[in-house]
Amino acid sequence: MNISFVPVETPEQIARLAALAREIWTEHFTSIIGAAQVEYMLEKFQSAPALQAQLAQQGYRYYFLAAQGREIGYTGIRPDGEKLFLSKLYLRREERKKGYASQTFEFLEKLCRENGWRAIWLTVNRHNDDTVAVYRARGFSVVREQAADIGGGFVMDDYIMEKPVANETEGEKKA
């Protein structure tokens, strides 16, 4: 089943995105980083005010992933020089392992080709084994490790992963 990518632009959409983030993060990350850090990160990075600031002032773009008229997840991106930073890619638990992440990567790679970005990079918690495996399967490799103090006594212990994306001309030369 194909999904659509719906830009998040209005205050009402931002509020729905914050609620969806809370649902997904609480379910997925509590066992990895603990409830206190999940709550802190939701407020700091995924609350409606934080999302609004990212959209209005920091160059982020958010998209709902929608299937059968239902928001099943979301992605957040930000251009970063010649690369695209994949900040967020989350699916509701019941929507995982249905090919939606693959469709999202295809969408992001198309954006890269259209905009001349040469790679996609991201951060992922080093203990989020299933997600690291998904990224590796999609051609991402670890380029470094990072421990970032995010305040509140919390640290994000991440891999920085990256995948090159050939532009149309390079892709045609290889074919």
Side-chain angles (χ1 to χ4, degrees):
M1 174 178 315
N2 287 336
I3 59 174
S4 57
F5 300 90
V6 180
V8 174
E9 299 168 333
T10 68
E12 189 269 333
Q13 287 175 313
I14 292 168
R16 287 197 333 262
L17 179 60
L20 181 60
R22 176 167 292 284
E23 173 191 331
I24 294 170
W25 279 51
T26 302
E27 175 271 316
H28 186 75
F29 286 108
T30 300
S31 65
I32 298 171
I33 60 175
Q37 186 167 345
V38 166
E39 189 58 39
Y40 177 81
M41 291 179 72
L42 282 169
E43 188 58 36
K44 184 168 179 136
F45 302 115
Q46 295 289 273
S47 64
L51 293 165
Q52 177 60 44
Q54 290 169 27
L55 288 164
Q57 300 157 7
Q58 299 170 27
Y60 281 82
R61 301 178 205 165
Y62 280 93
Y63 298 88
F64 285 115
L65 312 181
Q68 296 182 313
R70 183 172 174 260
E71 293 161 355
I72 61 165
Y74 67 102
T75 190
I77 59 173
R78 178 179 48 83
D80 183 27
E82 292 188 346
K83 299 178 183 179
L84 178 66
F85 174 49
L86 173 55
S87 175
K88 313 281 185 295
L89 172 52
Y90 300 113
L91 291 164
R92 288 185 157 122
R93 171 183 262 173
E94 65 274 13
E95 304 300 343
R96 296 178 197 143
K97 300 184 180 181
K98 294 183 178 180
Y100 297 136
S102 292
Q103 290 180 55
T104 303
F105 288 122
E106 290 168 11
F107 169 75
L108 297 174
E109 289 170 17
K110 181 175 183 265
L111 284 178
C112 285
R113 288 188 296 276
E114 290 171 353
N115 290 281
W117 299 318
R118 303 170 70 78
I120 300 171
W121 73 277
L122 57 90
T123 61
V124 60
N125 185 286
R126 292 189 318 166
H127 306 288
N128 193 350
D129 297 330
D130 291 343
T131 302
V132 170
V134 167
Y135 290 135
R136 286 188 191 278
R138 292 297 306 179
F140 286 82
S141 58
V142 174
V143 295
R144 67 182 187 277
E145 297 179 13
Q146 168 181 288
D149 183 340
I150 58 169
F154 298 110
V155 173
M156 291 192 326
D157 188 15
D158 292 334
Y159 289 131
I160 309 298
M161 299 183 80
E162 186 170 302
K163 175 185 182 174
V165 178
N167 67 33
E168 295 295 338
T169 307
E170 291 169 354
E172 290 168 7
K173 288 178 186 173
K174 292 177 184 175

